[in-house]
Amino acid sequence: QGVGCSFQAASAMTMEPSGTSSSSKPSKLLEVETRRIPGLGPPSKLSTKVYFHVEYADVAFGETVRVVGSHPSLGNWEPEKGLVLATNEAIFPVWSSADPTFLELGTKVEYKYVVHHADGSLRAWEDKEGNRQFIASGTEMTIEDDDGEYRRKMGTDQEEEAEDQNQDYPMKSKSPLVRDMDKEQKLAFVRDLEGKAEIGATDTVFMLAFQLPINIMKDNDGVWQLETKAPSDGRNFAFLPLLQELKETKKIKVVNVGWPGIHVDNARDRQAIEKLLAKHDFIPVFPPRKEFDKFVSFCTSFLWPVFHDSMQVLQYSKAEAFNEQDWAAYQHINNIYANAVVPHTHESDLIWIQDYHMMMTPTFIARKLHKANIGFFLHTPFPSSDSFKTLPVREELLAGMLSADQLGFQFFAYARNFLVSCKRIYGLDPIFKSGGFMGLDYNGRNVMVKVAHFAYPFEASRAVARSDEVAKSTEQVKTLFKGKTVFACMDRCDGLSGLTQKIQAFRTFLNDCPQYKGKAVLIQYCFGSLGGMDNPAFVESLREQADAFITNEEDDLKIITKEGRGEPSIFLRIGKVERYERLGLFRAADVLLDTCVKNGLNLMPFEFIAAHSDQESDDAVAIVSEFSGCSRVLLGSLRVNPWNNSELTSTFERALTMAAGERKERFACNLQYISQNSPMGWFEDFLTDLRRARKKDDVRIESIGFGAKIRQVCIGQDFQKLPIDVVLNSYRNSKNRVFFFDNEGTLAADKRHMHRQYGAPKGDVSDLQSRGSSPNEHVLECLRTLCSDSRNTVVILSGRNREMLEDWFGSVPRIGLAAERGFYYKLPFTTGDQWHCMVQNPNYGWKTFAFEIMRQFVRRTQGSFIENKGSALVWQYRDADQHFGAWQAKELSSHLKELLFGYDVEIMEGKGYVEVKLLGIHKGVAVTKTLSKVSQAFGEADFVMCIGDDRSDEDMFEAVNALFDPSQEVADDELSTTDAESEGSGPTMAAGKSDGFLPKRQGSGKLAGGGLCSGLSGGLASLSSADFRGNLASFGDSEAGGPSQTRRFFTCTVGRKPTAAKFFLDDTDEVSELLASFKQQKDRRGNKELPFSSSSTWSTGDVHAQGKAMRVSSMPSISSLAFSH
């Protein structure tokens, strides 16, 4: 298909066949050849939209180029009946088809181009050997006989290329042509992906932790003083250098909130401590001692083992029920911490909460400060989803964490466990944003998830390691174990530290390698947790396994040897260990041994490397457990599985026999990592992302729920509870009212979760059963009253089929029904009792294929089933395993897109389902079409009430919102409060014009302006509110209604949640109460309203306008109404 076509004189085409060149006319006139594509059904019911582009410059003014071919739409080789192409100044010499031609899918077509004179007579056929040909495939195709010149002239080739690139790698792009940017522009573009977030000296950060990173004491004069040393337990020794650096550099003000480490009973001492600590930006918390003890017990004996995946061990060791009192104490103490910080902060401050002790604190702060910028960092691991699901308070703990704006984890393995738990408990899927951001969409809020482990304070630790105190402790250890290789261990005294495995493995090592007996020793220091040594039996077991004990009396280390053990090799010290003693042990040791079975980060290996950083023999070896977080970053260490005894013993020997060069190289690798990562970088990085994650200013946060399960829901500023008084006032002062109601979840309780189908369905798609909930008699009676008012149009929109809606609402006269989300509809004032379809002669051939492949997936996905919704087929997997179901859903969606290519359907993946439905069919289209018909029959609607509860109802909310002009909103206090009829009075009109909401009735039965209800294929999703109002701007007042009255549009969802609706009601009971209120309005009118006559109103279109009745001609049938594209 060359660029540019040469043509031969038309006279040559009229010669006898024997004298005709084979290149100057069709090679043969053939019948349309159809080819079946496997799996696509009858081609006659499917069509392909075809466009033509050709380049040809040798055309005189007034002449035209046409496409002539073997299909009737191309003239069946008759030139005068060919498809006429067009050109203009922008694309010449390219000619293109202004309108497409439609061919049956799979049709093989042969064709050529011809040129016609201005009078329509044939001038020339293109000079080409043989005929051009193609096979119609897909829903749309373009025949490019111009070598792509049309796309280049229109500038669409670059856009399509950029669009294809962005489809696989979605980015936040301000321009599709990033490649055309210069270096500086690209750099600015990349930086803009993160978004700007600045934290300055004027900002304040509140750090909440279980304990303050300082100690206080009374001096000899009874005055409270700060100790110069930081607490040696937990992470406080590492946090204090960070706070000191922040204070010295004055980068940002940091206020610490926490327990001061002591209990104070009298108010005078509390005031003195508060005054002392306030000078140093500390806020002490004084919890009740009794509840505090229960709080500590809950943290150490329940949360600590659970978060380290030891739930089963905990259940076996403590055969007792969940302690509700300890849980209540945990919540109460968390609330006390929240109350301590709230009076000192406001919404622009940053609040950073540390670790598992404070998991409920974000909830209590968010209750009081809805826009508070809250971050939470979990220093421990997060358990696997199977462990976490066993917790009686799993939802409360998750809700507490999700009340924060940003969650931090040491490593991605812990974040992954958290995300999986959110998926399995709350059904939340992770979201990913440009710049590498990850998070969760939770109740309209983006909760960001950050992975960055705490950085060890290397420089501050080096300074401490050089102190005289540490030097003295180091010398004591070296003196006691002179000439021996020391394996140093520093662990918490519990089963998670792998102490038993470590001791047994070291003893096995000495037995297997007797040459190291008396030359290698294991020194094990054990310190207690918050609650002290909680397990005396475990402590006694350790004492039995040790050969000797180390004591520290008046800063003098001594060894106590057991009798009958010979020369000791395993030394044990249990009790509180000061930091200088720990550093002294590490500086004297040759090998660090860590065999924990689960740990978040474990700072001991970091401190061991720092302790040796200034020594000449920088060749200390670190052996770390692969179940500790530090093994992921200290790449120079030797990783071991503490459960593998033989691996441990071989690693011990390797550490002793390692070549000096390898030892130095491994140590240098670890030292480089520790020295280049500072707590300040970790601190600033987390806070910068926390600032980016803050809640938006243009939304409102509401607390929904009760107790510990309360959650923060992000909604629009104008989202509020439906004002019943305002609705009733608007109802009374309106003439033409339209009501749209969803059924299940709105008029009737949603009981779909109670219906479950087991196993793959038998038979064909027609045998599938659909179940639903019908409204009660009270609701039906209210609907009857509404429908009896000639000014009301009531429509029920549901995803259920026609038979179910007829069965549920058949007893309500004059009610409109829209089944299968509007695919079938029945409006008494236009269709009578007959059901009409949105699409003429719909093709259901796709359902057979979709049903068969869905049935295969049901067989292999436990908990899934198929639901038939008439114009849609749904594969439900809400009862299946969420992750497996999501994997299967992606695979099913891929198969369906391939199998149903060419059908006029769309495949949608939602939360717990995959749906195949006819293209462009949704409730928004049904609502728009209904409003148009109401406008044609009775004039513009001046009252619209739209109520629904689920995702499918968002389409009709958006459709109604698109018709609404905010400038015409009438304030509540401007509404008339009279109970008079609308003919005599009405609410005051706000500033602004009133025309342009709905199309006026046209004499021809067609919509002026077009496009309102033509979206059977595209729906309303592609139209913005501004576009919608623009399309309707040409519509004036209804012929029947005269000058338009003030209109009121109410979109209402059931339940508080992120939605396109402007109002909400809490549940179906409140919807019933609203219907009852409308019913009362009807009852109160009594005889004021004209008597209703179904024959006069619906068949002849009687309406009330400006206080008098006007007769409107009979409505045209639905089939005669043309909805233009």
Side-chain angles (χ1 to χ4, degrees), residues 661-700:
E662 184 181 355
R663 294 169 70 96
K664 290 181 180 295
E665 186 178 352
R666 287 181 173 275
F667 182 84
C669 177
N670 290 335
L671 182 61
Q672 181 184 22
Y673 183 84
I674 295 175
S675 60
Q676 292 181 355
N677 291 273
S678 67
M680 181 62 72
W682 171 79
F683 178 85
E684 292 178 341
D685 188 40
F686 187 92
L687 289 181
T688 303
D689 283 349
L690 176 58
R691 176 67 80 190
R692 292 190 180 99
R694 72 178 304 122
K695 304 172 184 72
K696 297 179 181 179
D697 295 330
D698 59 347
V699 299
R700 191 172 83 250

Side-chain angles (χ1 to χ4, degrees), residues 331-506:
Q331 297 178 80
H332 187 207
I333 298 300
N334 274 248
N335 193 27
I336 291 175
Y337 276 75
N339 291 334
V341 69
V342 166
H344 302 278
T345 186
H346 52 81
E347 293 178 349
S348 63
D349 294 330
L350 296 96
I351 302 174
W352 192 358
I353 303 169
Q354 306 291 329
D355 221 0
Y356 68 101
H357 313 91
M358 303 281 103
M359 293 180 67
M360 296 300 298
T361 307
T363 293
F364 296 120
I365 294 177
R367 286 183 184 180
K368 302 172 178 64
L369 296 172
H370 290 315
K371 291 291 187 70
N373 196 191
I374 305 172
F376 177 84
F377 194 93
L378 184 66
H379 292 268
T380 66
F382 194 90
S384 65
S385 60
D386 289 335
S387 295
F388 191 78
K389 283 193 335 183
T390 61
L391 300 185
V393 291
R394 60 189 185 185
E395 295 180 16
E396 290 85 343
L397 293 176
L398 273 187
M401 295 180 68
L402 291 172
S403 294
D405 299 318
Q406 178 169 285
L407 301 172
F409 298 89
Q410 301 276 19
F411 301 99
F412 179 72
Y414 309 153
R416 181 180 61 236
N417 288 344
F418 170 77
L419 294 173
V420 172
S421 295
C422 289
K423 172 71 173 177
R424 295 192 171 184
I425 295 175
Y426 281 145
L428 303 179
D429 289 309
I431 58 174
F432 299 91
K433 295 187 175 182
S434 303
F437 294 101
M438 173 178 62
L440 294 165
D441 187 358
Y442 179 63
N443 290 323
R445 296 171 44 240
N446 285 333
V447 181
M448 306 313 296
V449 176
K450 184 174 180 62
V451 177
H453 73 83
F454 177 75
Y456 180 78
F458 174 72
E459 293 297 336
S461 297
R462 288 187 67 183
V464 176
R466 297 191 190 103
S467 65
D468 295 338
E469 223 174 9
V470 172
K472 179 182 177 181
S473 179
T474 302
E475 189 60 32
Q476 288 181 350
V477 175
K478 287 183 175 181
T479 301
L480 288 176
F481 303 99
K482 186 176 182 180
K484 297 181 180 180
T485 301
V486 175
F487 285 73
C489 313
M490 181 69 63
D491 298 285
R492 185 188 297 268
C493 190
D494 60 25
L496 294 173
S497 298
L499 299 176
T500 300
Q501 294 94 319
K502 180 190 306 181
I503 293 174
Q504 290 177 353
F506 193 79

Side-chain angles (χ1 to χ4, degrees), residues 147 386 437 494 519 527 639 666 699 829 854 906 917 1037 1058 1076:
D147 199 25
D386 289 335
F437 294 101
D494 60 25
K519 296 180 181 180
F527 56 89
R639 294 180 57 180
R666 287 181 173 275
V699 299
F829 62 91
M854 285 183 179
E906 57 182 328
K917 67 175 185 176
D1037 302 320

Side-chain angles (χ1 to χ4, degrees), residues 142 162 257 271 297 348 378 422 494 529 604 634 645 648 652 692 748 768 800 835-836 838 913 930 994 1047:
T142 300
V257 182
Q271 292 176 358
S297 173
S348 63
L378 184 66
C422 289
D494 60 25
S529 61
M604 295 302 104
L634 296 181
N645 193 66
L648 281 172
F652 295 160
R692 292 190 180 99
L768 290 176
R800 302 302 175 185
W835 285 92
H836 282 231
M838 282 279 191
Y913 68 89
T930 301
S994 61
R1047 301 167 180 84

